[in-house]
Amino acid sequence: MQIFRDITALQAWSTHAFRNNTNIGLVPTMGYLHAGHLSLVQAARQRAALVVLSIFVNPTQFGPLEDLATYPRNEERDLHLCREAGVDVVFLPSANAMYHEDASIFVDENALSRGLCGAQRAGHFRGVCTVLAKLFNIAHPQVAIFGQKDYQQAAITKRLVRDLNFPLEIVVAPIVREADGLALSSRNSYLTPEERQRALGLYRALQKASALYQAGTRQTRTLQEQMTAILHQHDLTPEYVTVVDGATLKPLTAALPGSVALLAARCGKTRLIDNLIF
Ligand code: AMP
C-alpha cells in the first residue's frame, strides 16, 4: 500500500495509471474508519483495478461552531484498516497542502444543498463540493463511491459530476449498521453509553415509517409525525424529519417507491443523521 501526502505525487501516479488504462476507484473519507467506509472500499474494488482512499478532515465543510477541532482522528489505525482491506493508495493531505491561504475559487451547488443539512450547516456543501472537485482532479478516478448514509451529499455529488462534466461514475453504497440498527458513523464515538442507547431512536423512527408505508400509509405528514414522536420518545432533538423525492430532494405530500425519509437529530451535543429509501 502506498501513502501519498503530496498532491503532485498522487497526480503523477494517477496520470500514469490512466495512461496504462488502469481504472481507479476513489473512496473519499474523513478517516476514523469503520465498517461503513470499508464497505465502500469493497464496492470500489469490484469496479476498479486500483482503489484510492482519501482521509482528509476538510476544514471548509465545517462551520465555525462545529466539531472540526475535536473530530476523531487515528491515522495509525486507519492505515492498518486500509492495509487489511486491500486499499492500494491512501491519500493523506494536510489542510495547508489542499488550500492555498488565498484560495479564491469554490464550488457552489444552488438547489439540492439549500434544504436539509444545508439549511442547518451554512457553507457545508460548498466545502464538500470544492474538496470533491479537487479530489477528482488529483486522483483521476473513473468511479467514486459514496455512502447512502449521507444521502444529500451523494445526490449533490451526482449533480456536481453532471454539471461540471467530471468524467467519472458515482456509485452509492448501502448504509452499514450496528447489529441493533444504529448507522455506523465516526461521530458515534462522541456518544456516552446512555446516549448510544437513545441514538437508536433514529433507526426505530425509520423502521416505524417503513412499517407504516408497507401497511399502506402514503401521507408524509403522518409518517413525519410518527417518526418525530419516536425521536422524542428517545429524548432526541429533531433538526429535520422529512420525506423527499429521491432525486430533487423536494418534500412530498405522498410517499412513492424511491422516496426517501431523512432524519437529523441531536443526541446530547452530537448531531446524527439517517435515512431510508421506500
Ligand atoms: P465520512 O468519513 O463520514 O465523511 O464518510 C465518508 C464516506 O463514507 C461517505 O461517502 C459516507 O456516506 C460513507 N459512510 C459513512 N457512514 C457510512 C455507513 N454507516 N454506511 C455506509 N457508508 C457510510
Side-chain angles (χ1 to χ4, degrees), residues 28-30 34 36-37 40 71 146-147 149-150 153 174-176 184:
T29 82
M30 299 204 299
H34 52 64
H37 297 116
L40 307 186
Y71 195 83
F146 292 83
K149 163 86 191 333
D150 298 87
Q153 172 175 280
I175 302 174
V176 176
L184 296 188

Side-chain angles (χ1 to χ4, degrees), residues 3-59:
I3 299 167
F4 287 92
R5 295 178 195 271
D6 186 73
I7 292 173
T8 322
L10 179 55
Q11 264 174 332
W13 178 89
S14 55
T15 303
H16 180 77
F18 185 74
R19 293 210 177 113
N20 284 310
N21 271 334
T22 311
N23 273 359
I24 293 173
L26 174 68
V27 178
T29 82
M30 299 204 299
Y32 213 69
L33 302 178
H34 52 64
H37 297 116
L38 301 178
S39 77
L40 307 186
V41 171
Q42 297 319 316
R45 210 7 80 265
Q46 285 163 14
R47 292 166 176 85
L50 293 169
V51 177
V52 176
L53 182 139
S54 61
I55 299 178
F56 181 56
V57 183
N58 174 33

Side-chain angles (χ1 to χ4, degrees), residues 36-37 39-40 117 145-155 158 170-177 183-184 203 206 240 246 249 258-263 273-278:
H37 297 116
S39 77
L40 307 186
C117 291
I145 320 287
F146 292 83
Q148 183 200 317
K149 163 86 191 333
D150 298 87
Y151 192 92
Q152 186 178 19
Q153 172 175 280
K158 286 184 194 161
I170 299 298
V171 170
V172 182
I175 302 174
V176 176
R177 299 179 179 280
L184 296 188
Y203 179 61
L206 292 170
Y240 60 75
L249 306 185
S259 306
V260 190
L262 292 163
L263 305 180
I273 58 173
D274 203 346
N275 67 80
L276 165 94
I277 305 175
F278 289 111

Side-chain angles (χ1 to χ4, degrees), residues 191-210:
L191 302 171
T192 65
E194 186 261 340
E195 287 171 343
R196 168 65 184 80
Q197 281 312 110
R198 288 198 282 121
L200 258 190
L202 283 94
Y203 179 61
R204 292 198 175 132
L206 292 170
Q207 273 190 312
K208 176 76 179 180
S210 170

Side-chain angles (χ1 to χ4, degrees), residues 226-247:
Q226 297 283 326
M227 288 191 284
T228 305
I230 292 179
L231 294 179
H232 285 309
Q233 278 164 25
H234 289 78
D235 203 12
L236 300 170
T237 313
E239 281 200 353
Y240 60 75
V241 178
T242 187
V243 179
V244 302
D245 177 89

